[in-house]
Amino acid sequence: MFIEYIVGLSGLIAAGLFIYGLKAMSSPVTAVSGIVTAGYGMIFVIAATFLNLFNVTEAAKPHLLVNLVLAILALVLGCAWAGWRGRTVQMTAMPQMVAIFNGMGGGSAACLAAVELLSDDPTSPLHLTITVLGALIGCISLTGSIIAWAKLDGRMKKPVRFGGQRIFNAGVFLIALVLGALTVMQYATPMRELPRDLFFLAALLFGVCMTLPIGGADMPVVISLYNAFTGLAVGLEGYVMNNPALMIAGMVVGSAGTLLTVLMAKAMNRSLTNVLFSNFGDSTSSAKGPQGEMHSVDPADAATTMRYASSVIIIPGYGLAVAQAQQKLYEFVKILVADGVDVKFAIHPVAGRMPGHMNVLLAEAGVPYDMIYDMDDINDSFATTDVALVIGANDVVNPEALTDKSSPIYGMPILNAYKAHQVFVIKRGTGVGYSGVQNPLFFQKNCTMVFGDAQAVLSKMVEAVKSLGGS
Amino acid sequence: MITATSMTFIIALYIFMLAAFTGYVVISRVPSILHTPLMSGSNFIHGIVVVGALDALFNATSISGQIIGFIGVFLGAGNVMGGYVVTDRMLAMFRPSQKPAPAKKEQQ
């Protein structure tokens, strides 16, 4: 009895610390303390859970020692593996790492449900239904996250699509639902094992099917969605386990994750149904694209222009991260700032592979966050800016999104780089952007291309401004 | 008449509603630069599922229950640890510039 109170209250304290931590994480100033606070909550509640060892069911008592050893072993192994992976992973590979850890959470919730469904204790149909529902969502999150990881990690290059895929997927989902219902109905009969096992297989399969046709560009939205899914699964299993801490933490993440997913989809001008059920990029064959001539200049000339400009806005894109050129870029920026140039970074909401991913990459290079501006805060400044420097970004500065109703990216908010007096674009070649659309900005009179790998171009720019000497 | 069981269920719905609202409010004021760390942070928080997995494993009575419970705790522990480490690494990088931006000098 006494133990129940201690464990229950520890969960309450942990849930409070989680919410407080999440709140603190919403400002850059307090963000670090936020995750630490949440971390204390987690250690506390996990430690308190071990008190439940004194409170197990009669049937489990003979197995207690084995179970304890298994629990400690699993905890140590899981922490060691994830800690090692988390510490060593490259910052550019962070989105797929988040996908994997999220999938593990979904898998854990599914396992929890599976153990509950194995037991012979009599339970109510309501209880069972919620267990099965949590298992379904957890399984989808597990296999879906694994596919998302494979796509972001470049292990799965092309979206898998075939005729009638939507009907096939709907079929798999329906089968999973029916099997889930059978699992609930047959729970008390000896025939319960077959539908239960098949249900888990169908749920796992649906996670794969659901994610396969979605293109790599949409993966961040999908990961965010699965993050919300895992939260929901955890919340439902919390009800099953009579654990309010799981219910609160799970549901907070479920709703926060859903909101985040909607915000991300909105920033890309795609509705969630669009992301999940349409095949983006299929309409590219009809793209005629604007015609004209691109002007190009060598890096040293572009660098000199920026050195003697009074204001420069830099628009970094994923191409910058792929070339691992953030450090070089900041080196270049530091020289400009030292010479009195007003330099700002403009970040499109979907720059990088996730909202905020580009900010993380810049932060890793040491760029202070007060030099970094959101799209809404900086878009009016372009008209009064001397130079806009676009590095490895394309669709997010495509003015067609504002003007051409037939364009697939019409309506997507863009950074108004085209309004700057002079635009430099560092780009590897003349290719089109992720959406497959040609960018009329590149043919504008005030736009000049600097062709080459971002890392190499920026090195040349650094050399060029260094040779000019300090002012 | 409300029985104890249905009351538990209804209280659960209340908890879900309030928690969902809390999550919505907390996230809606976040600047977009923190979206990725925050997704990772919320990823860490749902790692609390490891607590449920531990309870399930403690009460496992069969070999299959122990195996699945073991996998569950392993996955949950990975979720907790990985989520924390990744979030911490990302957040550690956010720092303001040491001094205010230098005043603009006359150009040429």
Side-chain angles (χ1 to χ4, degrees), chain A residues 18-19 22-23 25-28 31-32 35-36 38-39 42 45-46 49-50 52-53 56-57 59-60 63 66-67 70-71 73-75 77-79 82-83 86-89 91 94 98 101-102 104-105 107-109 111-112 114-115 118 126 130 224 227 230-231 234-235 239 241 243 245-249 251-253 255-256 259-260 263-264 307-308 337-340 354-357 359-360 363-364 366 368-370 374 471, chain B residues 5-6 8-13 15-108:
Chain A
F18 289 161
I19 294 170
L22 211 52
K23 179 76 200 145
M25 266 187 258
S26 63
S27 155
V32 180
I35 183 70
V36 173
M42 193 67 81
V45 73
I46 290 176
T49 302
F50 275 85
N52 275 345
L53 280 172
V56 296
T57 55
H63 304 280
V66 180
N67 288 349
L70 283 176
L73 198 62
L75 265 185
L77 283 178
C79 285
R87 287 246 169 266
T88 51
V89 69
M91 268 297 158
M94 216 48 120
V98 174
F101 294 141
N102 175 56
M104 291 177 86
S108 184
C111 287
L112 201 173
V115 176
L118 276 176
L126 177 70
I130 292 172
S224 176
N227 187 40
T230 304
V234 172
Y239 173 77
M241 302 296 289
N243 192 328
L246 259 73
M247 291 165 69
I248 293 174
M251 201 47 80
V252 164
V253 174
S255 81
L259 180 62
L260 193 59
L263 287 178
M264 284 166 82
R307 162 68 181 76
Y308 293 115
V337 170
D339 287 342
M354 278 192 194
H357 187 207
N359 304 76
V360 171
E364 187 191 21
Y369 67 77
D370 45 14
D374 281 351
S471 45
Chain B
T5 321
S6 59
T8 317
F9 180 64
I10 287 164
I11 290 174
L13 291 182
I15 293 179
F16 281 149
M17 181 198 71
L18 292 172
F21 205 71
T22 309
Y24 184 89
V25 170
V26 167
I27 277 266
S28 59
R29 290 158 185 236
V30 172
S32 68
I33 69 160
L34 282 169
H35 274 174
T36 294
L38 205 91
M39 186 201 290
S40 180
S42 58
N43 180 34
F44 162 71
I45 285 172
H46 68 52
I48 194 179
V49 67
V50 74
V51 165
L54 275 173
D55 271 336
L57 178 56
F58 288 158
N59 289 298
T61 49
S62 60
I63 294 287
S64 44
Q66 284 170 330
I67 292 172
I68 299 172
F70 179 82
I71 298 172
V73 175
F74 172 80
L75 293 175
N79 186 180
V80 168
M81 196 62 189
Y84 186 86
V85 168
V86 166
T87 312
D88 190 48
R89 264 183 72 185
M90 281 195 240
L91 289 177
M93 290 168 186
F94 287 93
R95 50 166 179 261
S97 50
Q98 305 305 314
K99 51 183 194 315
K104 210 187 291 176
K105 277 182 277 176
E106 272 314 308
Q107 295 298 310
Q108 297 245 313

Side-chain angles (χ1 to χ4, degrees), chain A residues 217 280-284 287 394-395 398 407-409 412 432-438:
Chain A
F280 196 55
D282 277 4
S283 58
T284 52
N394 190 341
D395 293 331
N398 191 341
S407 170
I409 58 170
M412 182 175 91
V432 295
Y434 219 103
S435 64
V437 189
Q438 186 55 273

Side-chain angles (χ1 to χ4, degrees), chain A residues 290-315:
Chain A
Q291 296 299 314
E293 220 171 300
M294 294 185 188
H295 320 277
S296 72
V297 70
D298 75 275
D301 286 357
T304 311
T305 310
M306 281 184 270
R307 162 68 181 76
Y308 293 115
S310 64
S311 54
V312 173
I313 297 180
I314 297 173
I315 299 153

